[in-house]
Amino acid sequence: MTAHRSVNEVLADLGAPDEQPLELEGVLEAHAEGFELLHYPKTERISGPKDGEHQYQAGVWVGFGNGSLQPNRDALNRWVGKRVRIHGILSSYLSLPPVGSLGRGGFGPWGFWPAQIEPYSVQRVTAEERRENAV
């Protein structure tokens, strides 16, 4: 099993190779269009990267594909504001082709997120796991 990474670690290392499986831990946040993963603890959150005039959000968009594996939105909505661990494939805006003068864009609605994880598993971080990690 691989060690989990935090949202801040991912945002600080967006140049790392894309399309690699990883385990990402953070706080789940809901939006009308989907879900975002934020860094935990909140006091240590960094601002999102800036690319030219574009300031990205300080989170990772949770992008479910259009395949047969779809999210259980009821469960995810119950976990909003809670710590979760997502196993999936990470992509960063640096892997996107430039779109003329608009730059590279991003993920999620309006391209506001610098990275996206396409999950194959979402788990709630239990109290026992938090005690084991002393966090």
Side-chain angles (χ1 to χ4, degrees):
M1 175 172 302
T2 61
H4 62 272
R5 295 182 68 194
S6 72
V7 173
N8 281 356
E9 290 172 339
V10 167
L11 293 178
D13 194 23
L14 287 173
D18 278 351
E19 307 300 322
Q20 297 295 320
L22 65 85
E23 194 174 294
L24 186 59
E25 188 173 303
V27 176
L28 191 66
E29 182 66 34
H31 296 274
E33 299 87 354
F35 297 92
E36 167 186 24
L37 198 63
L38 299 168
H39 183 76
Y40 178 85
K42 184 177 182 177
T43 57
E44 295 177 6
R45 287 185 190 156
I46 60 173
S47 61
K50 187 170 184 169
D51 188 352
E53 297 295 314
H54 192 88
Q55 177 74 43
Y56 290 98
Q57 296 291 322
V60 174
W61 187 254
V62 182
F64 293 94
N66 294 325
S68 60
L69 180 64
Q70 290 300 300
N72 180 340
R73 294 194 183 277
D74 291 336
L76 292 177
N77 283 323
R78 284 193 308 270
W79 294 350
V80 167
K82 310 287 190 221
R83 283 175 52 195
V84 298
R85 190 170 293 146
I86 299 177
H87 302 256
I89 305 294
L90 185 78
S91 300
S92 87
Y93 79 97
L94 296 172
S95 67
L96 300 174
V99 183
S101 65
L102 297 176
R104 294 187 185 272
F107 300 96
W110 300 95
F112 285 158
W113 285 265
Q116 170 178 281
I117 187 164
E118 186 172 343
Y120 49 82
S121 168
V122 181
Q123 302 168 328
R124 172 91 192 278
V125 177
T126 65
E128 183 176 317
E129 289 172 318
R130 290 192 307 267
R131 280 191 297 274
E132 285 175 6
N133 296 328
V135 180

